[in-house]
Amino acid sequence: MAPIRLGMVGGGNDAFIGAVHRIASRIDGEYQLVAGALSSTPERAKASGEALGLAPDRIYGDFREMAIRENRIKDGIQAVAIVTPNHVHYPAAREFLKRGIHVICDKPLTSTLPDARKLVKLADESDALFVLTHNYTGYPMVRQAREMVAKGELGTLRVVQVEYPQDWLTEAEEQTGANKQSEWRTDPERSGAGGSTGDIGTHAFNLASFVTGLELETLSADLQSFVTGRRVDDNGHVMLRFKGGARGMLWCSQVAPGNENALKLRVYGEKGGLEWSQEDPNYLWYTPFGEPKRLLTRSGSGARDVANRVSRTPGGHPEGYLEGFANIYSEAARAIRAKLAGEEIPADVVFPSVQDGLTGVSFVDACVRSSARDAAWVKLA
């Protein structure tokens, strides 16, 4: 079949995540980028579009102009990737959803909880799909861990520990003017009220929720802004109470020297435990209680069908960040093709939804409220 015609909002020259989305969309040949509103100014948008080889009449100065024209022309885009700073997610997604164009949006869903709720309503009312790129849910061994939990191989869950430390904001990087990413990610007007909680804490929380299937009941958060003058948190410790009795701890930090992207998950139940690390993603440690620890490998003898389905290379050839991201795009492509054909979306298609996004923004909101009340226990709003 012909590739899905893809547009992109944001992700122009020097934008890290836009390049990642473009690579991920191409890995399995499912998409072709044909249009874009790639920057916040018409001049930069034009330069970025030209650099990517887009036709001049498919390079747009703003996302609304793009949504209107692409909806009218023959062979207009069928899906759009939104890879802007957080505060643009809602207004951009709104323009495409109301015109029936499928949306693939970077996380978090929005910068504010009211916008997240409005976006959920819009997505529910639209015929278009909404896909949120919590890319760590695309890793093969994460899919396997989820299945093992769902099948009861760990028994009743008791303890969940997840952490995501980085060190790239250990100093006041945003005050140097040398790093575009640090400038908007530490600006509450663009990133939202949560700093590390919104940027990487949402990834950690989503991963824990995806694998365990647990629903959060209350949380207690202690957030810090260690760097002088920083207006959002750069470190957070969060205690979690889940429905059914399980307990959890989440740590997110962008001021932890020696850590690059050290996302880790540990899940313990009455029958055993699982451990997974994003920096060594092809392996899953499984320990049945009272038995030796077992190393399960992607594509190895311990791999399940759910892992093999989203693997591309033989065991021993590492797959990682880009391939996990590509799995979200490929799952979205299967769903989009089913919608275009008027068919049911295959039951095994898995991708984070707009509702997952709302839960993530609610998590950040609850963390900020709890920390402002000296780590009081709060519910998600």
Side-chain angles (χ1 to χ4, degrees), residues 100-368:
I101 296 171
H102 304 293
V103 172
I104 303 170
C105 184
D106 203 44
K107 64 83 218 163
L109 184 65
T110 58
S111 60
T112 70
L113 188 54
D115 278 354
R117 289 172 174 151
K118 287 186 286 187
L119 191 48
V120 168
K121 186 173 186 295
L122 281 169
D124 288 345
E125 293 172 349
S126 174
D127 290 332
L129 293 170
F130 190 100
V131 179
L132 192 69
T133 54
H134 272 299
N135 56 297
Y136 300 111
T137 65
Y139 283 81
M141 300 315 287
V142 167
R143 297 286 179 95
Q144 172 147 336
R146 184 179 192 234
E147 179 175 274
M148 292 175 70
V149 170
K151 287 188 172 182
E153 294 177 45
L154 270 61
T156 300
L157 298 186
R158 292 172 171 170
V159 178
V160 181
Q161 294 189 315
V162 63
E163 61 184 55
Y164 197 159
Q166 300 174 330
D167 64 3
W168 73 290
L169 291 177
T170 296
E171 297 180 327
E173 188 74 19
E174 67 272 26
Q175 297 174 24
T176 67
N179 190 319
K180 178 181 176 182
Q181 291 291 317
S182 65
E183 289 177 11
W184 77 258
R185 291 184 189 276
T186 57
D187 177 3
E189 297 301 317
R190 290 181 284 175
S191 68
S196 64
T197 48
D199 192 14
I200 55 176
T202 49
H203 267 316
F205 179 65
N206 176 264
L207 177 66
S209 300
F210 180 81
V211 170
T212 67
L214 294 172
E215 184 177 351
L216 186 65
E217 193 167 63
T218 57
L219 64 78
S220 168
D222 182 22
L223 310 183
Q224 298 80 39
S225 299
F226 281 116
V227 173
T228 302
R230 185 163 288 163
R231 294 186 290 161
V232 293
D233 64 84
D234 49 29
N235 187 84
H237 301 92
V238 188
M239 291 192 294
L240 309 167
R241 291 176 179 170
F242 297 101
K243 291 184 179 179
R247 295 292 186 262
M249 292 189 295
L250 182 152
W251 172 43
C252 57
S253 182
Q254 293 174 315
V255 293
N259 290 281
E260 295 176 330
N261 280 282
L263 174 61
K264 296 179 183 178
L265 175 68
R266 296 179 289 276
V267 182
Y268 304 103
E270 60 184 350
K271 295 181 181 179
L274 292 172
E275 301 176 40
W276 180 82
S277 170
Q278 194 271 151
E279 292 186 339
D280 202 8
N282 294 277
Y283 304 106
L284 177 68
W285 286 101
Y286 170 47
T287 309
F289 178 66
E291 299 181 24
K293 201 171 193 176
R294 303 173 186 176
L295 179 62
L296 308 180
T297 66
R298 182 193 58 78
S299 300
S301 59
R304 309 287 177 87
D305 289 343
V306 291
N308 290 329
R309 186 176 72 78
V310 292
S311 296
R312 294 172 183 79
T313 61
H317 295 290
E319 289 185 358
Y321 181 76
L322 292 173
E323 291 87 353
F325 227 115
N327 284 335
I328 303 300
Y329 266 88
S330 292
E331 296 282 72
R334 293 180 67 200
I336 290 169
R337 293 192 188 282
K339 292 281 283 187
L340 292 173
E343 300 171 354
E344 291 292 322
I345 297 173
D348 62 344
V349 167
V350 178
F351 56 76
S353 68
V354 69
Q355 191 61 52
D356 294 316
L358 175 60
T359 301
V361 177
S362 297
F363 165 77
V364 176
D365 170 80
C367 287
V368 172

